Structures are given as structure tokens and as C-alpha cells.
Amino acid sequence: MNRRAVYFFCADKSKDPVAHNVFRSVVNLFSPSVTDLSVDNFPVLHHQNSSGEFYFVNTANVLSHDYVRYLPYLNSLFNDFDFAGIVNWHEGKNSPDPIFCVHTTGDVISGIFGAAHPLYTRNLLIALEHERINYGLYNFKTLSEATHWSGVLHGTSPTLITKYTVPIVDVEIGSAVESWGDSTAANAIASAIVRVFEWDDPNAKSVLCVGGVHFEPSFCHAVLNSSEESSIMVSHILANQWVVAGGYDQDLGLVKLESCFNSILHKVDAIVFHDNLKGSYKEKLRSYALQNGIPVFKHQYLRDPSKLPMR
């Protein structure tokens, strides 16, 4: 059976300055066919290549900003898919620009995490990097972003995150107006998202990342610069500020860590922590890693994935 991915694009420019541009690129590049499915009176489009099938869904609002409305669509139309993505924009004070970024879904403070697929998340980052180069976007960077969910900022309970069980990520262009409107960047994302199933690597190692800043470069660097013999997969990334706010140095923090661990599909081969994390948090991570029989190490080891202390 073909693997299937679905991507969501807010059609309203006033709500999302990126998605409509990428959707237009999808149409121009692939001429997807119209299906008999629809969301918000927009027809769902379909494209197939040698690696899988891809569905493109226009929405009237950003999906995570009105999750109560869209959750029934997700579970009735796209519940048996292998991967999902929300194409949108990134912004924020002091945010890097221009960038492509990917982040998994979860609310670190409450310890509620959506399903994460390490291989497909890795593939998407690699595809974005390939297309960044293919399109000559040498001023852009490809980055992984810390796990979060914008639904919380729009008044939605994070408990809804787990009501859709397909691994879902945000795929973004950031972080300024000039980057959002860059048509070449839109083409690059459109070209990348249909490559998410392109690579299968049974030897790749999945690491859970804890600590560091919101855009911690060492985590993505390990993905993009590891060889076939020592390839690294990153999915959930727990930024330092939310680990502290969530009390991950307490016993309840271990419960939250367990929730995160279990949400990562297939397996976690190791835990990597940023060395700036305070000692009490490191001790909890070491305890948890020992309990689960996996190694734990500092982020500096990611500089040379071939020498990581993993079996």
C-alpha cells in the first residue's frame, strides 16, 4: 500500500501570509487532480509520485488555530494517513530570518505530545535542505524548531492534541514579511513536502532532544550532516524554557517525559541534552535513560554523529 501524507494550507491571506503562496506552487508544479473530498467547500487535491500519495487541503482558517472545528475533518477524512503537515509562517521577536523550519506538535509544559515520526520528520528536513540548494536560496537556512502547538495561544486545550493520532508537523517560512512573500521559497517548500517518503534508513538513530533555545542549531545540524552510516533522526525537541516551566526536574516531570517518549513512533535510541541544562534536570534525564536502557549524552556529541555513544 502506498504511503500517504496530507498537507493543510490556510487560504485566507489575512490569516496566513505563506500558505496560499505554497498552495499555488503545488498547483503550478504538480497539477494535482481534484478528488471528491472537500473541506470548507474547498476541493481536496491529490498528487502521486513514486514514493507515495499526497493530499492538499485548503482551509478557511489555520488548522491549529481552530482545532475544535477541524478535528472532525481530520478523523473522518485523514485518520489512516502516515503523515500530516500544516504549511504556514513563522514570526517572533529576534527570530532567525530567512529560514525554513519544521516542528513537531506538543505542549511541553503540560506534558501532552502529538505522535511524532522521526524518519519522516528527518526526511522533511533533508528535503527542505535539498530544495533550498536546488532553488539557489543560499541566504536561507533549514532549521528544526522546538516542539510546540499554537492552538494553546488560541484558547484550545492541549488535551485535543492527542485526538488526532497521525504524526503531524508544522512546515514554515520565516520570519519576516520579505521571506513570507518569496515565491522561490514557496516553490522550495512545495517541492520538499512531496519528498517526505523518499528515504528509508533502517539504521538511522532516533534521539529525543532536551534543553537549548527555541532554534537549537546543534539538533538540526546533526540531522543534516550525518552520513548514511550514522544518520540521526530528531522529532520532539523540548526547549529549556518550557522544560523549566513544566517542572521536568520533579517526579511529575518524569511522567511528562514518559508521555513524550511514548509519543515518538517506533523507538527512541538515545536522549541528548543541551549542556546548559541545570544539573537537576540532567539527573532526571540520566535516571530515565538508565531505566529505559538507552544512552544519554551532551549535545556537543552531535558535532560528529559517527562517534555517538550508541549501539
Side-chain angles (χ1 to χ4, degrees):
M1 182 181 294
N2 272 352
R3 289 173 287 191
R4 297 190 297 169
V6 56
Y7 294 100
F8 300 91
F9 309 77
C10 176
D12 189 334
K13 305 178 185 181
S14 69
K15 296 177 180 177
D16 185 325
V18 162
H20 66 283
N21 290 330
V22 180
F23 188 85
R24 182 170 59 237
S25 291
V26 164
V27 172
N28 291 339
L29 290 170
F30 307 119
S31 300
S33 59
V34 177
T35 71
D36 58 359
L37 305 176
S38 67
V39 175
D40 289 344
N41 295 318
F42 294 112
V44 175
L45 305 185
H46 173 263
H47 170 69
Q48 185 167 347
N49 62 25
S50 60
S51 67
E53 295 183 57
F54 304 90
Y55 290 76
F56 309 107
V57 184
N58 261 327
T59 56
N61 200 353
V62 180
L63 185 120
S64 52
H65 295 184
D66 197 359
Y67 210 60
V68 172
R69 169 176 170 74
Y70 290 113
L71 193 56
Y73 284 111
L74 296 178
N75 284 318
S76 62
L77 301 180
F78 311 109
N79 66 320
D80 56 350
F81 278 54
D82 299 284
F83 193 71
I86 305 170
V87 176
N88 61 95
W89 80 106
H90 183 269
E91 66 177 317
K93 187 178 180 181
N94 300 322
S95 294
D97 179 78
I99 61 169
F100 299 118
C101 63
V102 175
H103 73 80
T104 55
T105 298
D107 183 59
V108 178
I109 294 176
S110 63
I112 298 173
F113 297 90
H117 199 295
L119 177 62
Y120 298 157
T121 304
R122 172 183 180 270
N123 286 354
L124 186 52
L125 284 166
I126 290 173
L128 284 167
E129 180 66 359
H130 283 188
E131 298 302 337
R132 181 188 71 81
I133 295 169
N134 287 344
Y135 281 94
L137 292 165
Y138 302 116
N139 57 327
F140 273 72
K141 291 182 179 180
T142 302
L143 298 172
S144 56
E145 188 180 3
T147 299
H148 65 283
W149 188 58
S150 57
V152 173
L153 298 176
H154 291 264
T156 306
S157 169
T159 57
L160 291 188
I161 291 173
T162 57
K163 300 303 181 183
Y164 183 54
T165 59
V166 174
I168 188 167
V169 300
D170 281 46
V171 191
E172 303 172 356
I173 296 175
S175 299
V177 173
E178 293 77 16
S179 302
W180 299 338
D182 190 314
S183 59
T184 305
N187 285 339
I189 282 201
S191 299
I193 60 178
V194 298
R195 301 183 67 184
V196 71
F197 301 132
E198 195 162 309
W199 300 278
D200 284 305
D201 187 350
N203 298 316
K205 300 299 184 182
S206 168
V207 298
L208 168 60
C209 301
V210 185
V213 295
H214 194 68
F215 285 100
E216 182 52 55
S218 59
F219 299 148
C220 189
H221 180 273
V223 173
L224 299 181
N225 293 281
S226 55
S227 65
E228 286 187 17
E229 295 76 25
S230 57
S231 53
I232 296 298
M233 302 182 293
V234 168
S235 53
H236 285 317
I237 299 173
L238 314 188
N240 184 77
Q241 66 191 74
W242 293 324
V243 167
V244 172
Y248 279 69
D249 60 342
Q250 307 298 317
D251 288 343
L252 182 57
L254 286 177
V255 176
K256 296 175 181 179
L257 193 64
E258 175 80 3
S259 174
C260 181
F261 193 91
N262 290 336
S263 71
I264 299 173
L265 301 183
H266 306 302
K267 63 176 179 176
V268 175
D269 294 294
I271 296 173
V272 55
F273 61 82
H274 195 279
D275 200 29
N276 286 342
L277 202 63
K278 288 185 177 180
S280 57
Y281 298 93
K282 293 176 185 177
E283 285 308 310
K284 287 294 183 184
L285 293 174
R286 291 188 180 103
S287 172
Y288 186 82
L290 180 64
Q291 174 185 328
N292 285 275
I294 60 174
V296 57
F297 50 84
K298 302 175 183 179
H299 76 284
Q300 288 93 336
Y301 280 96
L302 293 174
R303 294 169 185 165
D304 186 354
S306 67
K307 295 181 179 178
L308 289 177
M310 290 193 286
R311 293 184 291 275

